């Protein structure tokens, strides 16, 4: 993984010192809250319903054991003993005291972490495929280019005050695990007919109030032109993006208003002035960053491990975990182990300090000291020998981290909702908890198969409800919580925005509604048909009829 150079160290330390002074002035009442707000947001500090919330960047979702241990210590010393992993591959602390935040940031800086640009109208934390560097289907490791983008975008003087926040995601595989079509810019690594590796550039995706699937404005961009092309896109957006209306300020609205063809022409014209200039990426610079992400020293192992196969045959619980939580690795004899942060009745994405320390220890011993965070609010040990999987699982079981539900119905995405967020209209976490309890039977979950439920407490869609196979949006109706349901969304390479079924359901009725949708799917599917395939074949009417039959 990338290590800070002298510039990075000085940059982060300087920001900590600056913010320490700003906090002191706020506590001394030398700054009003209105004056302090833009300063704290530039350091990832929000004021939520009950307390401050600090959002810490985990660039492209990659952590070392040392960093994870520090996140655990911060949870224990500065919060209430836990942290919340988010859909942006960040971690959030919900209860830090303002006076202690500078010390917290100083502790992060000691392990090469910070909270800079996790808020504000700037380029946010660049995200990547959570199987980066490990997956069998990967063309190249996307984190190489995510790191290059991070260096280019950090405190970029031209793009620090954009019309609105800006999010970039990179994936290195044809199977999209980074939701690139729902980002302001999505980059998909491609190989052209000549065998050269470059990028498909997708612009104008997003969720929130206006869900939009991004459009491809360049099918193949050579590596050397990555930064100049991104700069051209950002310049067009910075010049033409709306600043008069918060709800129409995202680049997705600009792309819609101008049209994809006109927007592409504007970018290409801007790029003509930048191409082959100072932003051209030298091959040696790409190679230098590549060395930080060089594959670990994998042993030469057989593709099949008898001891692993025997344990899977003899131990039903272990076999269940392998079935859902273990994925194919690019190296023979190794596997990718996903750690679910969705236990029955738990808050999706939450991990205690002790659990973080357990994951750090497992990564140190069994995964070349590497941990990845998924945008689906889980953790990943990317490089585990097949022979070590039983020991990893045994340890996870002891610490309630072995829930075998990755990709299944109870592996839900949920935002913090009204329990924490002052923007939310309804609770998200209790709905997720009740659904996980209703569908706790693993046999039933496996019968249902791959099904993604995503829950947001407001229209801002932090829980990605628009792209859930089943999406749930909390709304307020005269002071009461109701939940609107959408069907057919998808965040992968088959990107789709879900469609609203009909009138919203009350808090008391929403879990029954989900049960009804699942029952309809099971009743109408053909053979091993997945939920979205059944939905595409039969349409929304059968689901709607069953849901509203009583009414």
């Amino acid at each position: 993984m990338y290590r800070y150079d002298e510039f990075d160290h000085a940059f982060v330390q300087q920001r900590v010192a600056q913010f320490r002074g700003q906090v002191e002035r706020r506590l001394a009442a030398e700054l009003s809250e209105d004056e302090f707000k833009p300063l704290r947001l530039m350091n990832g500090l929000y004021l939520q319903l009950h307390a401050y919330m600090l959002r810490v960047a985990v660039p492209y979702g990659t952590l070392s054991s040392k960093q994870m241990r520090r996140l655990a210590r911060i949870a224990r010393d500065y919060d209430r003993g836990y942290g919340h992993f988010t859909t942006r591959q960040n971690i959030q602390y919900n209860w830090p005291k303002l006076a202690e935040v500078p010390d917290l940031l100083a502790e992060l800086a000691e392990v090469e972490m910070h909270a800079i640009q996790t808020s504000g109208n700037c380029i946010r934390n660049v995200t990547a495929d959570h199987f980066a560097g490990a997956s069998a289907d990967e063309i190249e490791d996307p984190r190489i280019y995510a790191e290059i983008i991070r260096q280019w975008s950090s405190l970029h003087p031209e793009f620090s005050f954009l019309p609105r926040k800006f999010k970039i995601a990179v994936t290195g595989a044809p199977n999209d695990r980074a939701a690139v079509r729902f980002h302001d810019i999505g980059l998909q690594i491609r190989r052209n007919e000549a065998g050269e590796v470059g990028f498909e550039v997708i612009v104008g995706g997003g969720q929130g109030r206006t869900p939009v699937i991004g459009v491809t404005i360049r099918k193949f961009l050579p590596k050397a032109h990555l930064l100049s092309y991104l700069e051209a896109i950002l310049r067009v957006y910075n010049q033409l993006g709306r600043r008069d209306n918060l709800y129409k300020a995202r680049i997705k609205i600009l792309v819609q208003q101008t049209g994809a063809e006109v927007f592409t022409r504007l970018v290409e014209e801007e790029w003509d002035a930048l191409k082959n200039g100072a932003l051209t990426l030298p091959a040696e610079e790409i190679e230098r960053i590549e060395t930080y992400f060089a594959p670990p020293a994998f042993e030469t192992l057989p593709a099949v491990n008898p001891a692993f196969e025997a344990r899977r045959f003899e131990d039903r619980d272990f076999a269940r975990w392998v079935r859902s939580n273990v994925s194919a690795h690019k190296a023979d004899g190794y596997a990718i182990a996903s750690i679910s942060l969705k236990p029955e009745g738990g808050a999706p994405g939450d991990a205690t300090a002790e659990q973080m320390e357990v994951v750090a220890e497992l990564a140190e011993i069994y995964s070349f000291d590497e941990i990845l965070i998924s945008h689906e609010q889980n953790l990943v040990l990317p490089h585990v020998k097949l022979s070590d999987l039983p020991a990893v699982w045994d340890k996870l079981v002891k610490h309630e981290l072995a829930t075998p539900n990755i990709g299944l119905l109870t592996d839900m995405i949920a935002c913090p909702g009204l329990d924490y967020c002052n923007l939310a209209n309804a609770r998200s976490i209790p709905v997720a908890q009740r659904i996980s309890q209703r569908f706790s039977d693993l046999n039933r979950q496996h019968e249902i198969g791959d099904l993604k439920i995503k829950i947001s407490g407001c229209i801002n869609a932090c829980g990605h409800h628009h792209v859930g196979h089943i999406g749930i949006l909390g709304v307020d109706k005269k002071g009461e919580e109701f939940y609107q349901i959408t069907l057919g969304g998808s965040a992968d390479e088959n990107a789709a925005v879900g469609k609203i079924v009909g009138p919203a359901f009350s808090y008391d009725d929403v879990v029954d509604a989900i049960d009804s949708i699942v029952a309809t799917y099971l009743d109408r599917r053909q053979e091993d048909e997945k939920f979205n395939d059944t939905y595409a074949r039969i349409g929304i009417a059968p689901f709607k009829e069953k849901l509203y039959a009583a009414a």
Side-chain angles (χ1 to χ4, degrees):
M1 59 187 294
Y2 179 73
R3 304 267 35 113
Y4 277 12
D5 60 17
E6 290 182 6
F7 171 84
D8 293 313
H9 279 291
F11 162 53
V12 174
Q13 293 287 354
Q14 184 182 49
R15 177 54 67 89
V16 172
Q18 290 171 345
F19 192 57
R20 189 179 295 280
Q22 292 162 359
V23 169
E24 289 171 355
R25 290 165 63 200
R26 173 68 185 119
L27 292 172
E30 295 173 13
L31 290 174
S32 68
E33 174 53 32
D34 287 342
E35 292 169 325
F36 182 58
K37 181 178 178 179
L39 303 175
R40 62 172 168 77
L41 288 177
M42 290 175 72
N43 291 277
L45 189 65
Y46 290 74
L47 186 56
Q48 298 280 67
L49 268 180
H50 311 294
Y52 285 102
M53 178 272 282
L54 182 70
R55 178 181 296 146
V56 177
V58 182
Y60 33 86
T62 299
L63 286 168
S64 68
S65 299
K66 180 180 180 181
Q67 289 172 324
M68 183 64 96
R69 284 194 178 93
R70 182 56 57 92
L71 295 180
R73 186 167 115 183
I74 287 169
R76 187 176 285 116
D77 293 349
Y78 295 92
D79 206 279
R80 295 186 176 179
Y82 69 95
H84 175 72
F85 290 95
T86 79
T87 57
R88 292 296 303 159
Q89 296 179 315
N90 297 313
I91 184 171
Q92 293 180 179
Y93 295 105
N94 289 308
W95 303 98
K97 296 180 176 66
L98 178 57
E100 295 179 346
V101 171
D103 291 337
L104 191 165
L105 294 176
E107 292 219 22
L108 286 172
E110 290 177 358
V111 293
E112 303 185 351
M113 297 186 74
H114 61 73
I116 302 164
Q117 291 186 205
T118 59
S119 180
N121 294 337
C122 57
I123 299 171
R124 299 284 186 90
N125 185 35
V126 180
T127 58
D129 180 356
H130 55 266
F131 288 171
S135 67
D137 62 344
E138 186 173 84
I139 297 170
E140 281 193 13
D141 191 331
R143 296 173 301 172
I144 298 163
Y145 307 99
E147 172 56 30
I148 290 170
I149 296 168
R150 185 197 70 82
Q151 294 187 21
W152 161 78
S153 64
S154 293
L155 293 194
H156 192 302
E158 192 174 346
F159 307 138
S160 292
F161 297 96
L162 293 165
R164 198 72 173 88
K165 58 187 176 181
F166 204 91
K167 300 174 181 179
I168 300 174
V170 193
T171 186
N175 298 304
D176 180 11
R177 289 176 288 265
V180 294
R181 286 162 182 77
F182 288 98
H183 281 73
D184 297 292
I185 295 177
L187 296 170
Q188 180 135 21
I189 295 176
R190 299 284 193 192
R191 196 181 299 276
N192 67 11
E193 293 178 357
E196 300 167 320
V197 175
F199 305 94
E200 177 186 352
V201 182
I202 302 157
V203 176
Q207 296 187 57
R209 198 169 292 267
T210 309
V212 179
I213 299 171
V215 296
T216 297
I217 66 168
R218 194 163 248 275
K219 291 183 178 179
F220 188 83
L221 178 72
K223 293 179 185 180
H225 298 307
L226 173 63
L227 295 186
S228 60
Y229 204 79
L230 294 183
E231 185 113 352
I233 295 169
L234 265 296
R235 281 190 175 185
V236 171
Y237 172 53
N238 208 16
Q239 292 166 16
L240 302 180
R242 294 184 61 171
R243 287 179 161 86
D244 63 323
N245 188 322
L246 181 71
Y247 306 116
K248 297 182 179 181
R250 298 293 292 268
I251 193 173
K252 62 186 179 185
I253 303 299
L254 177 61
V255 173
Q256 285 186 314
Q257 289 179 339
T258 62
E261 288 186 16
V262 172
F263 183 83
T264 302
R265 176 174 56 78
L266 292 170
V267 170
E268 293 285 331
E269 288 173 356
E270 187 69 34
W271 188 45
D272 282 341
L274 297 170
K275 188 166 47 177
N276 301 320
L279 284 172
T280 303
L281 264 175
E284 55 269 24
E285 178 60 13
I286 296 174
E287 291 169 5
R288 185 182 74 84
I289 300 297
E290 277 180 346
T291 61
Y292 290 107
F293 299 96
F298 296 126
E299 296 178 28
T300 302
L301 298 171
V304 177
N305 180 268
F308 163 71
E309 296 297 341
R311 177 70 180 270
R312 184 161 61 163
F313 179 76
E314 296 164 359
D315 190 330
R316 182 187 178 198
D317 291 336
F318 176 67
R320 276 179 164 173
W321 180 77
V322 170
R323 178 180 175 183
S324 57
N325 293 42
V326 175
S327 304
H329 196 282
K330 63 184 179 182
D332 284 347
Y334 287 84
I336 302 168
S338 294
I339 300 170
S340 172
L341 298 182
K342 320 288 176 58
E344 181 186 340
D350 280 9
T352 66
E354 181 185 25
Q355 288 174 327
M356 289 185 227
E357 288 165 346
V358 168
V359 174
E361 180 185 344
L362 288 171
E364 196 169 52
I365 298 171
Y366 299 112
S367 188
F368 294 93
D369 199 33
E370 191 172 317
I371 304 154
L372 300 178
I373 301 170
S374 80
H375 84 273
E376 294 176 327
Q377 298 177 289
N378 295 311
L379 303 177
V380 178
L381 298 175
H383 313 296
V384 182
K385 289 181 187 177
L386 291 173
S387 59
D388 288 333
L389 283 171
V392 169
W393 181 75
D394 288 338
K395 185 81 168 180
L396 292 174
V397 168
K398 291 179 182 177
H399 296 275
E400 299 181 351
L401 287 167
T403 306
N405 65 344
I406 297 294
L408 301 179
L409 184 149
T410 59
D411 181 18
M412 290 170 281
I413 289 177
C415 72
L418 195 55
D419 288 306
Y420 296 97
C421 182
N422 55 358
L423 300 176
N425 298 312
R427 291 169 292 170
S428 298
I429 293 172
V431 174
Q433 290 170 322
R434 290 169 58 215
I435 292 172
S436 76
Q437 289 164 341
R438 174 71 65 89
F439 291 90
S440 60
D441 186 304
L442 274 170
N443 291 327
R444 188 183 183 196
Q445 288 189 59
H446 281 292
E447 179 193 2
I448 295 165
D450 178 20
L451 180 57
K452 297 184 184 298
I453 296 179
K454 305 184 181 185
I455 308 169
S456 299
C458 79
I459 198 63
N460 288 311
C462 294
H464 293 196
H465 67 277
H466 292 298
V467 295
H469 298 159
I470 301 174
I472 303 173
L473 168 64
V475 295
D476 175 79
K477 287 189 175 183
K478 298 180 180 179
E480 291 187 41
E481 295 169 298
F482 279 79
Y483 296 86
Q484 187 182 82
I485 294 176
T486 54
L487 299 179
S490 178
D492 61 15
E493 60 277 7
N494 302 307
V497 174
K499 292 185 179 179
I500 299 171
V501 177
F505 293 86
S506 70
Y507 176 80
D508 291 335
D509 293 338
V510 65
V511 178
D512 288 336
I514 301 304
D515 212 337
S516 171
I517 291 167
V518 171
T520 303
Y521 159 58
L522 293 177
D523 184 54
R524 299 296 295 270
R525 73 175 173 187
Q526 295 178 352
E527 298 178 354
D528 295 328
E529 202 171 44
K530 294 185 177 180
F531 181 89
N532 271 11
D533 294 330
T534 300
Y535 171 78
R537 179 173 54 80
I538 68 175
I540 205 167
F543 294 98
K544 196 169 186 174
E545 182 181 342
K546 185 81 177 285
L547 275 171
Y548 300 104

